[in-house]
């Protein structure tokens, strides 16, 4: 069942810098041009957050576009899953996993559990969880199997070496 949301519901202001997306509408369905996937993507509340967070990574934190992957597949306990954003360094190593939720979705322990399960596959040293309004960042110590929350997301230069 397709639920049509108004443009105001879809394009709600977020706690991320605004970006001048190229937005089109066709029969009540809004889409935007995704610079990474090089095609139009239907806007859902979660996609709105994902697109803004990608632009934040690129413009404010210096992450290269070419090292950011969107909606990558992974196998977890024999089931196919999809991670929202996976960032690599210039050596091709996975360095950050981002889980995006719609602004209406509260970030809960279940959200952190989800990204932690995905990280059992990816084994990245940095996790981010966002609903566009609230953002949480964790540094993962894979050797000691511990984590610590960070106040801010590191810039790419800080994690790329």
């Amino acid at each position: 069942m397709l639920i049509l949301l108004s443009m105001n519901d879809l394009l709600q202001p977020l706690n991320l810098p605004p970006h001048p997306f190229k937005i089109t509408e066709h029969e009540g369905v809004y889409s935007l041009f995704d610079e990474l996937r090089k095609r139009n993507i239907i806007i859902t509340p979660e996609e709105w957050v994902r697109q803004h967070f990608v632009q934040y990574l690129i413009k404010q934190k210096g992450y290269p576009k070419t090292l950011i992957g969107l909606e990558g597949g992974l196998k977890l306990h024999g089931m196919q899953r999809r991670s929202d954003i996976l960032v690599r360094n210039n050596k091709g190593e996975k360095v950050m996993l981002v889980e995006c939720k719609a602004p209406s979705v509260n970030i809960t322990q279940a959200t952190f559990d989800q990204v932690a399960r995905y990280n059992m596959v990816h084994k990245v040293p940095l996790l981010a969880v966002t609903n566009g309004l609230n953002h949480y960042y964790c540094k993962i110590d894979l050797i000691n199997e511990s984590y610590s929350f960070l106040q801010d997301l590191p810039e790419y230069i800080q994690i790329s070496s």
Side-chain angles (χ1 to χ4, degrees):
M1 179 168 125
L2 179 64
I3 298 173
L4 297 178
L5 298 173
S6 74
M7 190 163 181
N8 288 339
D9 290 334
L10 284 175
L11 311 182
Q12 93 173 67
L14 302 174
N15 186 15
L16 290 163
H19 181 75
F21 294 107
K22 181 183 171 192
I23 297 173
T24 56
E25 181 268 337
H26 179 70
E27 296 181 1
V29 177
Y30 295 92
S31 61
L32 59 76
F33 184 75
D34 181 323
E35 294 177 27
L36 300 184
R37 292 179 270 190
K38 305 283 190 229
R39 61 185 170 96
N40 281 336
I41 302 293
I42 292 175
I43 302 172
T44 62
E46 182 176 315
E47 187 64 42
W48 187 241
V49 171
R50 181 174 20 254
Q51 292 294 322
H52 274 82
F53 201 83
V54 164
Q55 292 303 319
Y56 171 70
L57 290 174
I58 295 166
K59 294 200 165 78
Q60 272 70 38
K61 296 297 183 173
Y63 288 76
K65 284 184 199 181
T66 55
L67 300 178
I68 300 171
L70 301 181
E71 293 196 309
L74 64 107
K75 272 245 198 263
L76 181 64
H77 305 301
M79 298 187 68
Q80 192 63 34
R81 299 287 184 226
R82 191 172 293 273
S83 55
D84 287 319
I85 303 171
L86 182 63
V87 179
R88 297 177 183 271
N89 63 17
N90 56 8
K91 298 174 195 162
E93 301 163 331
K94 300 171 188 176
V95 292
M96 180 171 51
L97 182 61
V98 182
E99 179 62 29
C100 299
K101 297 295 184 189
S104 62
V105 175
N106 289 326
I107 308 267
T108 64
Q109 184 62 49
T111 311
F112 284 101
D113 292 346
Q114 178 186 3
V115 76
R117 282 190 305 274
Y118 290 178
N119 203 35
M120 289 169 39
V121 173
H122 289 300
K123 299 185 184 337
V124 300
L126 186 60
L127 299 178
V129 177
T130 181
N131 64 3
L133 304 172
N134 299 298
H135 324 288
Y136 300 94
Y137 313 112
C138 291
K139 183 174 179 154
I140 306 300
D141 182 339
L142 296 167
I143 295 168
N144 295 311
E145 297 182 351
S146 64
Y147 65 92
S148 59
F149 282 93
L150 304 173
Q151 289 291 345
D152 195 12
L153 183 68
E155 293 189 16
Y156 178 72
I157 195 78
Q158 295 172 293
I159 67 165
S160 62
S161 51

